[in-house]
Amino acid sequence: MTDIVMNDVFEVIRHYDPYNQFLKIKNPYGGRLIRNNEFHVMGLENGKLCAIAHSPVLFTYYRGEPDVYDTCFPSLYRGNPSEDTILINQLKALDFQDICKTFPSAQFAEKDGLDVRYDAISQHYGLKTNIIDITDDISVAAYFATQQYDEDTDSYHSITDGLGCIRMTEQMLGMPGFQGIIIGVQPFYRTARQRAYGYICKPGENFAQSSTAVIFKQDSQMNKLVNDAFEQNEDYVLPV
């Protein structure tokens, strides 16, 4: 973890990617923010297809966190759960996956040869799994680092104070020791909108040891700009 604390999330984006077009929203005269919504189809070793925004051969992945944590464990293993609790959550995820398989969109996707990652879909829809969410789009990481989910209203709101961080790792999918998975386009929209990849953790594995992190101050005004970009710009809407 770096000792430097940046003034806002846009400084972190500039640190990682100084030419990223998401930086335009900090400048009211920066021009219209347009997201590249193209996905490329590629074949996998298992004979199935995936659709992703960029080539995953050698890439940079990000993860946004709305606070500063010393560790980064997947939801299945957070809080030192008992073996019984882990098993119960795994069974819940399997039940959810069985329900997903009954949707026509999932059946059509499988028929068309898509590699449907039901485990990742479970993760993105709130089930506890052994997957850490990562993305190839730093603006998505910035969103989750600056917005807090409210269960009562089923929505996100901008964080007004405290600290946040964005983690980064540069890895090659399939590299020994890096259990990254391609998610991308799936039968349900959320994974594509979030430019989703995943990292499968072994029990006790701490993703913080596989990534670097830059801390920033939560700035209510800057965070609202991020929220507005996703909530008001149809090219950047994230389903919640």
Side-chain angles (χ1 to χ4, degrees):
M1 189 77 72
T2 180
D3 293 329
I4 300 174
V5 179
M6 299 197 169
N7 287 328
D8 59 59
V9 71
F10 291 100
E11 288 193 6
V12 183
I13 295 174
R14 185 172 286 107
H15 169 79
Y16 283 130
D17 186 1
Y19 301 106
N20 192 288
Q21 61 121 15
F22 196 71
L23 293 168
K24 288 180 178 180
I25 69 173
K26 191 175 181 179
N27 177 4
Y29 305 104
R32 184 171 182 267
L33 182 65
I34 300 175
R35 188 184 208 187
N36 180 5
N37 284 319
E38 292 183 354
F39 285 82
H40 306 279
V41 177
M42 60 179 289
L44 300 173
E45 291 183 358
N46 61 8
K48 296 184 179 182
L49 301 173
C50 70
I52 55 176
H54 300 96
S55 169
V57 177
L58 181 62
F59 215 74
T60 303
Y61 304 96
Y62 304 98
R63 174 178 173 80
E65 298 178 348
D67 206 336
V68 177
Y69 308 104
D70 294 330
T71 59
C72 185
F73 294 108
S75 56
L76 184 64
Y77 302 128
R78 286 176 199 159
N80 194 28
S82 66
E83 292 185 5
D84 288 346
T85 300
I86 292 173
L87 178 59
I88 289 170
N89 284 320
Q90 288 174 323
L91 292 173
K92 288 180 178 179
L94 289 174
D95 284 343
F96 177 82
Q97 292 168 31
D98 285 341
I99 294 172
C100 288
K101 292 176 183 178
T102 67
F103 280 73
S105 57
Q107 295 171 355
F108 290 143
E110 288 202 39
K111 184 177 179 181
D112 289 339
L114 183 70
D115 185 34
V116 181
R117 296 297 310 230
Y118 291 104
D119 53 349
I121 293 171
S122 301
Q123 166 70 11
H124 279 262
Y125 282 88
L127 280 295
K128 293 185 177 182
T129 74
N130 62 344
I131 298 174
I132 288 284
D133 292 326
I134 54 178
T135 177
D136 64 9
D137 188 336
I138 195 170
S139 69
V140 172
Y143 182 88
F144 287 110
T146 59
Q147 313 300 313
Q148 190 71 50
Y149 179 67
D150 186 336
E151 292 185 359
D152 293 335
T153 61
D154 189 28
S155 62
Y156 285 89
H157 60 83
S158 297
I159 299 171
T160 57
D161 56 22
L163 299 174
C165 91
I166 294 182
R167 297 186 182 277
M168 184 273 290
T169 182
E170 291 181 326
Q171 299 282 356
M172 182 184 296
L173 292 182
M175 224 175 119
F178 182 69
Q179 302 300 316
I181 57 173
I182 299 173
I183 302 172
V185 175
Q186 293 290 321
F188 306 94
Y189 293 118
R190 189 170 295 187
T191 58
R193 296 288 180 88
Q194 296 179 12
R195 297 293 198 271
Y197 289 79
Y199 180 84
I200 299 177
C201 291
K202 301 174 183 176
E205 184 177 2
N206 180 8
F207 183 71
Q209 297 175 349
S210 303
S211 60
T212 60
V214 176
I215 304 171
F216 66 92
K217 297 175 184 177
Q218 299 282 13
D219 182 296
S220 59
Q221 183 179 0
M222 296 298 104
N223 292 357
K224 187 177 185 304
L225 289 176
V226 175
N227 183 282
D228 289 347
F230 279 88
E231 299 299 333
Q232 297 177 15
N233 184 327
E234 63 179 9
D235 294 327
Y236 264 86
V237 168
L238 283 174
V240 294

